[in-house]
Amino acid sequence: MANAAKTITVEQIGSAIRRHHSQRATLIGLNLNKIGRVAELQDTPEVRGMITKVQHLVRIVDEK
């Protein structure tokens, strides 16, 4: 498979408490919902947009 899907690993570092409901929903959509959780996601423009929306609550651990 020449076009292997690129992945991005994201860790939640901030709490969703007292955040807008759309930011909470975005964290759930990223398979994150608690501080310290790590999710490996496909590197797509949609996922990048979700990460940008909650960039103050997450950090990118690794990009492959």
Side-chain angles (χ1 to χ4, degrees):
M1 194 172 186
N3 268 350
K6 294 185 178 183
T7 61
I8 185 168
T9 306
V10 182
E11 179 184 8
Q12 183 174 345
I13 59 169
S15 174
I17 295 174
R18 297 185 65 167
R19 302 291 176 187
H20 195 266
H21 63 86
S22 65
Q23 290 181 0
R24 291 182 191 205
T26 301
L27 287 172
I28 292 168
L30 290 171
N31 296 326
L32 303 169
N33 203 17
K34 292 183 179 179
I35 295 176
R37 282 211 178 150
V38 178
E40 188 169 327
L41 309 162
Q42 287 189 358
D43 192 3
T44 63
E46 293 84 2
V47 170
R48 286 285 183 165
M50 292 170 75
I51 292 170
T52 301
K53 183 170 184 170
V54 292
Q55 65 186 354
H56 54 290
L57 300 175
V58 300
R59 73 179 175 106
I60 297 174
V61 177
D62 190 24
E63 295 182 48
K64 294 180 185 175

